[in-house]
Amino acid sequence: MIRPQNQHVSLTDVAKKAGVTPSIVSRLLNEDPTLRVRPVTRERILDAVSSLGYAPNFAGRALRLARTGALGLIVPDVTSPIYMDLRRGVEWAAKQHGYLVLMGNADELELPDGFYSRLIAERRIDGVLLQRTEYINDANFWRVAQTDLPTVLVNSRLTKWTGSVILDDERGAALATRHLIDLGHTRIGLIGGPRTLDWTARRRKGFTQAMREANLPVQWMAAGGHEADTGRAAMELVLAQRPRPTAVVVANVLSAVGALTAVLNAGLTVPRDLSIIALHDTWLAEHTQPALTTVRLPLYELGVKAVEMLLDRIRTNRSCNYRVKEPAPQLIARGSTAPPAL
């Protein structure tokens, strides 16, 4: 049972329960980059901290290290179910290192006096994880970057910027496309993401490679976005083409909900007249009619890795670009895909 925080529990009590020295406990909780302990030892110390209800003096540590103990996470829409797993991964990893996470919408960066702009300008967070949207232009991003606030881009990359962690978008899109090909579809379309975002290009590349490997034409394509409305509008454009496709890959599951609506509004049936598969998986995909077939991408692991990279940047100023390849994208077959009608 996890006890509430207990100010009377000492560092020595934690060390005794974990079977290590107080110095090792202190160095671990203070994120000493030179400390080398086995993962099992680290877990034993953290379990002792939790079970005893030990409350480190984070205020004192913050003063010593000139840190706030808070990280920022900026995503396109904090209410979107797509970011639930990402947020869970970020919050779990941050908690392991004694950090809190403050969340905000990406469009707040457009406002000079917005909440996140003030946090950044006043250095009330130690670093920020940022997923770009089509609304964050290069100038707005560099305005954040030039504050010298440690920043890691999440599933985003930018020319001349080092410090990003991305998904294996090409692999995910190729998996979705091959699923439709294996069902027997030969006229397959793509509703992508915003043209200005790099993950859109990666998913288009994965789709195109899978189609060309199968010697199939690449011609039913439209730009989409993050929302159902953009997916509906893009699907209307795809359905207007002749001949129309028998299946469509949608680069975002919320966009796929709108695409499904457009098909039904056109008097067509999914999957009899048109199959739909989407990238990303959320609880929402299970509750459409029919339920959406999806490709689940490792957003939780993306969040964990992003925090690890950000904390390393805070401590050492090191940065790199990383792609999360494990776990691999996973096909979740539901009712929105089937072989093409004869």
Side-chain angles (χ1 to χ4, degrees), residues 44-62:
R44 195 165 66 244
I45 294 171
L46 294 177
D47 286 345
V49 169
S50 178
S51 63
L52 292 174
Y54 175 64
N57 187 350
F58 288 118
R61 186 181 75 174

Side-chain angles (χ1 to χ4, degrees), residues 79-99:
T79 66
S80 171
I82 288 179
Y83 302 111
M84 289 178 60
D85 283 343
L86 173 67
R87 186 183 68 203
R88 287 177 52 245
V90 167
E91 290 177 338
W92 180 87
K95 184 178 180 181
Q96 303 310 301
H97 297 276
Y99 276 85

Side-chain angles (χ1 to χ4, degrees), residues 10 90 97 136 148 180 228 243 300 321:
S10 69
V90 167
H97 297 276
I136 300 181
D148 294 326
L180 298 175
Y300 183 91
N321 293 325

Side-chain angles (χ1 to χ4, degrees), residues 22-339:
S23 173
I24 289 177
V25 175
S26 176
R27 292 172 66 192
L28 178 68
L29 296 180
N30 283 287
E31 303 172 25
D32 183 347
T34 67
L35 178 64
R36 297 291 182 268
V37 295
R38 293 183 301 168
V40 65
T41 303
R42 174 188 173 84
E43 289 302 314
R44 195 165 66 244
I45 294 171
L46 294 177
D47 286 345
V49 169
S50 178
S51 63
L52 292 174
Y54 175 64
N57 187 350
F58 288 118
R61 186 181 75 174
L63 288 173
R64 291 195 307 275
L65 301 178
R67 296 180 189 165
T68 67
L71 305 176
L73 172 62
I74 301 177
V75 295
D77 182 358
V78 297
T79 66
S80 171
I82 288 179
Y83 302 111
M84 289 178 60
D85 283 343
L86 173 67
R87 186 183 68 203
R88 287 177 52 245
V90 167
E91 290 177 338
W92 180 87
K95 184 178 180 181
Q96 303 310 301
H97 297 276
Y99 276 85
L100 299 174
V101 178
L102 304 177
M103 290 189 66
N105 286 327
D107 57 6
E108 292 178 2
L109 290 178
E110 298 277 355
L111 306 173
D113 59 346
F115 176 62
Y116 259 81
S117 295
R118 295 201 312 273
L119 288 182
I120 291 167
E122 297 169 12
R123 295 303 296 261
R124 291 162 65 185
I125 51 178
D126 294 330
V128 63
L129 304 169
L130 170 63
Q131 177 159 352
R132 295 186 71 197
T133 74
E134 63 268 41
Y135 307 116
I136 300 181
N137 58 33
D138 289 357
N140 281 326
F141 170 75
W142 286 112
R143 179 166 57 84
V144 175
Q146 288 171 359
T147 64
D148 294 326
L149 181 71
T151 301
V152 169
L153 289 175
V154 179
N155 210 36
S156 310
R157 282 192 174 165
L158 187 66
T159 304
K160 298 181 180 180
W161 176 261
T162 302
S164 66
V165 55
I166 63 173
L167 295 166
D168 200 347
D169 294 292
E170 293 98 328
R171 191 176 179 185
L175 176 61
T177 308
R178 285 195 296 269
H179 170 66
L180 298 175
I181 293 170
D182 291 343
L183 287 174
H185 292 277
T186 57
R187 301 200 309 270
I188 303 172
L190 172 68
I191 293 177
R195 291 185 176 91
T196 57
L197 297 184
D198 54 294
W199 63 258
T200 298
R202 291 194 295 273
R203 293 177 193 181
R204 182 172 61 244
K205 180 180 178 181
F207 167 81
T208 301
Q209 286 180 339
M211 293 290 284
R212 288 176 176 167
E213 287 171 2
N215 295 315
L216 296 176
V218 178
Q219 66 182 74
W220 297 276
M221 302 179 75
H226 297 97
E227 302 89 17
D229 286 347
T230 56
R232 184 179 67 242
M235 180 61 84
E236 289 170 353
L237 294 176
V238 169
L239 293 177
Q241 300 182 44
R242 293 292 181 270
R244 68 171 178 246
T246 61
V248 173
V249 176
V250 185
N252 178 290
V253 69
L254 294 187
S255 186
V257 172
L260 176 61
T261 299
V263 175
L264 300 179
N265 287 345
L268 303 174
T269 302
V270 175
R272 185 188 65 195
D273 299 312
L274 187 121
S275 286
I276 298 176
I277 184 171
L279 272 74
H280 292 308
D281 187 57
T282 75
W283 61 267
L284 182 63
E286 300 181 64
H287 299 286
T288 57
Q289 186 58 41
L292 283 166
T293 295
T294 63
V295 170
R296 180 178 295 155
L297 298 173
L299 287 171
Y300 183 91
E301 291 77 10
L302 180 74
V304 171
K305 184 63 179 180
V307 170
E308 292 174 352
M309 290 175 60
L310 181 58
L311 294 179
D312 188 50
R313 188 160 194 158
I314 290 170
R315 290 190 296 261
T316 68
N317 204 33
R318 290 192 302 248
S319 61
C320 66
N321 293 325
Y322 186 86
R323 184 187 300 259
V324 177
K325 294 186 177 181
E326 296 296 336
Q330 179 186 4
L331 176 70
I332 309 295
R334 297 191 181 99
S336 67
T337 54

